[in-house]
Amino acid sequence: MANVAETLREKGLKVTPQRMAIYRMLCETRAHPTAEAIWEKVKEEFPAISFNTVYTTLGILERAGLVQRLHVGEKAAHYDADTSPHIHLCCERCGRVRDLHKAGVDLTEVAQNLRAKTGYEMSKIELNIYGICPECRH
Ligand code: ZN
Ligand code: MN
């Protein structure tokens, strides 16, 4: 993983220890945590950090293109530091969100095809598949 401070600086963002901790935490997980879960984790290192700071920081990181916000479920947004277009599998029972890399569908290719067909300049492509995960089915 690239140096977190450097990546933030490259995007023109002010580097603060809190920002670094939030971004690093997202880079180190594949769990697609909610803002609430990120806050709980970052609090271990910065007990005084407010939820608002975490939420605001996530917005800043999203606008800088460093993280993507997944619009899964109605309850809370989930965040992903993997900003490449990829499919997500969402369990309707436990709420877990997983990557689906081997679906045989290349979302970048899909976006390119759609762009040619519709004339839209795609800024974001999100494909979420919902169901019940194997753990919850058993
Ligand atoms: Zn589940
Ligand atoms: Mn993902």
Side-chain angles (χ1 to χ4, degrees):
M1 186 187 66
N3 182 287
V4 167
E6 215 159 277
T7 307
L8 292 174
R9 220 172 278 126
E10 270 167 23
K11 293 286 179 181
L13 300 180
K14 207 170 77 183
V15 179
T16 67
Q18 289 91 336
R19 258 178 209 185
M20 279 171 54
I22 291 166
Y23 183 50
R24 190 186 307 114
M25 188 243 153
L26 270 170
C27 288
E28 284 169 354
T29 181
R30 295 265 54 84
H32 310 91
T34 60
E36 192 87 20
I38 295 164
W39 181 43
E40 290 300 332
K41 186 82 188 147
V42 172
K43 265 201 291 193
E44 291 171 13
E45 207 180 327
F46 299 95
I49 197 166
S50 70
F51 177 75
N52 205 45
T53 299
V54 172
Y55 194 76
T56 305
T57 303
L58 289 168
I60 290 166
L61 293 173
E62 187 195 1
R63 281 190 296 279
L66 291 176
V67 306
Q68 61 168 323
R69 180 189 161 115
L70 308 175
H71 303 81
V72 298
E74 303 100 61
K75 278 176 244 146
H78 292 248
Y79 292 86
D80 194 349
D82 179 357
T83 56
S84 69
H86 59 280
I87 299 170
H88 287 106
L89 275 174
C90 316
C91 178
E92 291 169 312
R93 206 162 286 166
C94 66
R96 240 183 304 198
V97 178
R98 285 166 216 210
D99 292 329
L100 178 59
H101 282 300
K102 289 182 180 147
V105 183
D106 182 344
L107 286 186
T108 307
E109 216 174 277
V110 171
Q112 277 162 1
N113 289 341
L114 288 176
R115 185 190 173 186
K117 277 193 188 117
T118 65
Y120 267 72
E121 182 68 54
M122 311 278 167
S123 55
K124 181 181 169 85
I125 182 162
E126 185 172 340
L127 177 53
N128 305 319
I129 298 170
Y130 299 86
I132 310 293
C133 77
E135 287 83 356
C136 287
R137 280 177 52 210
H138 293 131

